[in-house]
Amino acid sequence: MASDGVPLEEEGALLRRPSNSSEEDEWEEKAFTGREKVRVDIDPIFTDAETDESTMPPFSWKKLWLFTGPGFLMSIAFLDPGNLEGDLQSGAIAGYSLLWLLMWATLMGLLIQLLSARVGVATGKHLAELCREEYPTWARLTLWFMAELALIGADIQEVIGSAIAIRVLSHGVIPLWAGVLITSFDCFLLLFLENYGVRKLEAVFGVLIATMAISFAWMFGDTRPDGEELLLGLLIPRLSSKTIKEAVGVVGCIIMPHNVFLHSALVQSRKIDTNRKGRVREALKYYSIESSIALFVSFTINIFVTTVFAKAFYGTKEAETIGLVNAGQLLQEKYGGKFPIMYIWAIGLLAAGQSSTITGTYAGQFIMGGFLNLRIKKWLRAMITRGFAIVPTVIVALFFDSSESTLDVLNEWLNVLQSVQVPFALIPLLYLVSKEEVVGTFKIGHFLKVVSWMVAALVIAINGYLLLDFCVAEVSGPMFVVVVTVITLLYGGFIIYLISRGPLARWLVPVLPKYIVTSTN
């Protein structure tokens, strides 16, 4: 039933008003239809309409299992090839000394993802939909464009990672560009799995995560990193001038802009009565537990990778040149013989790349559909989303196939692309989750608001440092400097606009131009 009393009919991923409705908002995009959602109200006593709407059912392991899935799909972004490359470079260059930072970065990532889940559960809409409703057209389209850029950048890294793994497993027979094409079929796999229901899709991702865990745990067990150094690395913060770049990379790659949008949509795969506060609180409780477990698993896998490469290459001449392209070969040379460590590494990398590209396709559907409210079928939207990423990725693969050094340079550019997009996911999220008109009584409190903005400011500052460092090293020539300066001014102005709409506005009013403040009211 629509808010105006007009009944709605389900059709595919859309909620449709009867044909006699002449309003412009005739169609409303939805992440999941009623038929696709998993039923979680398994306790009949608490489904009675007469039960107090604020009553929350007791904890149930069976219900936790029913809620399990979205958090693990979300956690794959913490395990994509870009993160694995950051792990191996951190271990090779900084040894065990940045493990504490990896732990705290994961905790910061968990906080952001829980806020994303809160928005999705409390409103019944995902972040892209809410941005479409909250911001004027020009700002909404800008946010959509930035989200698409971030998604394309992440997708290129993920697909290239899968292609590298395929080349290693085929003994070099399958070139990089062919591996890209093979990986691109993941959108068909996604569409195929969706026909069998959300739980089947989540099970496939569970298998891929298990494959990563087994592969990297095998490497960890065989190479036997120093347990005492591992523990000290987790508990004692250490940072030197030689490891600042790696430290920035560890934090910078944890928050993936498209993943913030994705998680707010995934939590809607469960059938939750958002009109009953008890049900919403219950869902938030189970999603918090599930997400915490999922990110603990991803953190453990990241620890495996970091410590294996710390044990193998810290203090060696290979440490400065190691990357995804040559990591398997260098491992084989270090721990060769009967143990096929290169292939174990490649299997884990393939699972990471394949799972992250599928979730990237998934995120692309929600981002495009939510921001634009597209009236097209899911399969067509998936094909369009996949096309945005695959075409540039094939070009990249053909151009960089024979040059490992230029591929590393490309990866640096893609990391910068990801970094500059972070504010355009975090700021709208924190603004919306703090707004009572949007999330009602589930808005975050003052303490959590302060902590969240501090985390966001830290992540944005770290990514800004990465961007500044890169520009100082790479930007040259007067024309290039002018272009970068203009883009930077527009970029900063848009960030100020987004902040000025949120709870920080009252602190910024004295320093903001009057036309910015009035435009947000």
Side-chain angles (χ1 to χ4, degrees):
M1 181 73 69
S3 59
D4 56 5
V6 180
L8 296 172
E9 301 173 8
E10 289 193 10
E11 182 173 296
L14 305 170
L15 287 181
R16 182 170 60 86
R17 295 175 186 272
S19 57
N20 59 355
S21 174
S22 60
E23 298 180 19
E24 291 184 3
D25 60 341
E26 182 180 2
W27 295 72
E28 184 181 356
E29 177 70 23
K30 287 296 177 185
F32 298 92
T33 66
R35 295 189 302 272
E36 295 172 326
K37 293 185 178 183
V38 178
R39 182 175 175 268
V40 292
D41 53 340
I42 58 175
D43 32 22
I45 295 177
F46 288 90
T47 58
D48 191 339
E50 296 180 359
T51 303
D52 183 1
E53 66 171 18
S54 63
T55 302
M56 186 169 64
F59 179 81
S60 164
W61 288 104
K62 182 178 181 181
K63 186 168 287 191
L64 176 61
W65 171 248
L66 291 174
F67 275 99
T68 297
F72 280 89
L73 267 69
M74 169 273 296
S75 72
I76 287 170
F78 291 69
L79 297 168
D80 69 2
N83 279 278
L84 296 183
E85 183 161 35
D87 290 340
L88 66 88
Q89 290 176 343
S90 171
I93 296 173
Y96 302 87
S97 65
L98 296 181
L99 293 179
W100 66 274
L101 191 58
L102 175 62
M103 178 178 69
W104 283 103
T106 303
L107 290 174
M108 288 191 294
L110 174 61
L111 172 61
I112 297 300
Q113 295 302 149
L114 290 180
L115 295 180
S116 175
R118 178 185 288 251
V119 164
V121 173
T123 64
K125 298 179 180 180
H126 56 81
L127 185 57
E129 290 179 285
L130 293 171
C131 287
R132 185 184 76 230
E133 297 175 354
E134 186 67 32
Y135 293 99
T137 302
W138 70 270
R140 168 172 58 87
L141 292 178
T142 303
L143 286 172
W144 169 68
F145 179 72
M146 292 299 185
E148 289 289 354
L149 277 182
L151 183 60
I152 290 172
D155 223 3
I156 290 176
Q157 289 181 307
E158 293 157 357
V159 173
I160 290 292
S162 289
I164 291 172
I166 291 172
R167 186 169 68 178
V168 171
L169 292 172
S170 67
H171 296 274
V173 173
I174 300 177
L176 205 61
W177 64 267
V180 168
L181 292 178
I182 292 172
T183 306
S184 68
F185 283 100
D186 61 7
C187 71
F188 297 105
L189 177 61
L190 170 64
L191 293 169
F192 175 76
L193 292 172
E194 279 189 308
N195 291 329
Y196 289 90
V198 174
R199 296 294 278 174
K200 300 294 190 304
L201 182 65
E202 292 168 350
V204 170
F205 282 105
V207 171
L208 292 171
I209 293 174
T211 301
M212 282 185 270
I214 293 171
S215 298
F216 299 135
W218 190 339
M219 290 171 51
F220 180 86
D222 195 77
T223 57
R224 298 179 183 177
D226 191 314
E228 182 178 348
E229 284 293 327
L230 191 161
L231 188 60
L232 290 175
L234 287 172
L235 299 179
I236 301 177
R238 290 177 288 175
L239 189 63
S240 69
S241 58
K242 296 180 180 179
T243 61
I244 289 179
K245 185 177 180 180
E246 284 66 42
V248 170
V250 167
V251 179
C253 65
I254 285 294
I255 306 297
M256 305 290 283
H258 72 274
N259 205 42
V260 178
F261 289 98
L262 175 65
H263 199 199
S264 65
L266 291 175
V267 294
Q268 294 174 48
S269 60
R270 271 54 180 174
K271 190 175 294 186
I272 301 165
D273 185 356
T274 56
N275 294 319
R276 301 178 68 179
K277 295 179 182 179
R279 289 298 183 182
V280 175
R281 285 207 307 271
E282 177 190 45
L284 291 175
K285 176 183 71 174
Y286 285 117
Y287 279 137
S288 297
I289 296 172
E290 185 237 2
S291 296
S292 300
I293 295 172
L295 287 194
F296 176 77
V297 172
S298 72
F299 170 68
T300 303
I301 293 174
N302 285 321
I303 288 288
F304 288 157
V305 176
T306 302
T307 53
V308 164
F309 283 87
K311 171 68 180 298
F313 302 108
Y314 178 57
T316 67
K317 62 180 181 180
E318 294 92 351
E320 297 293 335
T321 59
I322 196 167
L324 285 182
V325 176
N326 60 357
Q329 184 61 44
L330 291 175
L331 279 173
Q332 190 65 26
E333 293 172 1
K334 187 80 174 183
Y335 299 103
K338 295 182 179 180
F339 180 64
I341 193 169
M342 179 173 67
Y343 301 107
I344 298 298
W345 160 255
I347 290 172
L349 178 60
L350 180 62
Q354 191 62 59
S355 58
S356 57
T357 52
I358 297 176
T359 55
T361 303
Y362 221 15
Q365 291 186 42
F366 297 132
I367 289 171
M368 181 177 289
F371 275 112
L372 304 183
N373 200 24
L374 290 179
R375 308 177 184 184
I376 61 176
K377 297 293 185 180
K378 273 188 176 182
W379 68 268
L380 182 57
R381 189 162 66 245
M383 295 295 292
I384 295 173
T385 302
R386 175 51 57 214
F388 280 162
I390 288 301
V391 172
T393 306
V394 172
I395 295 173
V396 165
L398 288 171
F399 186 77
F400 294 102
D401 195 14
S402 59
S403 176
E404 295 182 5
S405 60
T406 51
L407 194 59
D408 288 336
V409 171
L410 171 70
N411 192 56
E412 289 183 16
W413 278 91
L414 293 174
N415 285 336
V416 169
L417 179 63
Q418 290 287 335
S419 299
V420 299
Q421 309 303 327
V422 167
F424 306 122
L426 288 190
I427 296 175
L429 171 66
L430 296 184
Y431 166 55
L432 292 167
V433 81
S434 305
K435 190 173 182 181
E436 188 171 0
E437 294 85 349
V438 176
V439 293
T441 58
F442 294 98
K443 69 173 185 176
I444 57 176
H446 180 71
F447 176 75
L448 186 55
K449 187 185 303 182
V450 171
V451 172
S452 301
W453 277 103
M454 288 177 61
V455 168
L458 177 62
V459 173
I460 291 172
I462 287 174
N463 282 284
Y465 172 86
L466 185 66
L467 176 62
L468 180 62
D469 180 70
F470 183 80
C471 287
V472 169
E474 299 293 333
V475 175
S476 61
M479 181 60 74
F480 199 15
V481 170
V482 170
V483 171
V484 170
T485 301
V486 171
I487 293 175
T488 301
L489 290 174
L490 293 173
Y491 174 81
F494 189 50
I495 290 178
I496 291 174
Y497 166 77
L498 293 176
I499 293 176
S500 70
R501 296 178 64 92
L504 296 184
R506 64 180 182 272
W507 300 334
L508 297 176
V509 165
V511 297
L512 287 176
K514 289 184 178 180
Y515 73 87
I516 293 181
V517 177
T518 55
S519 68
T520 63
N521 296 327

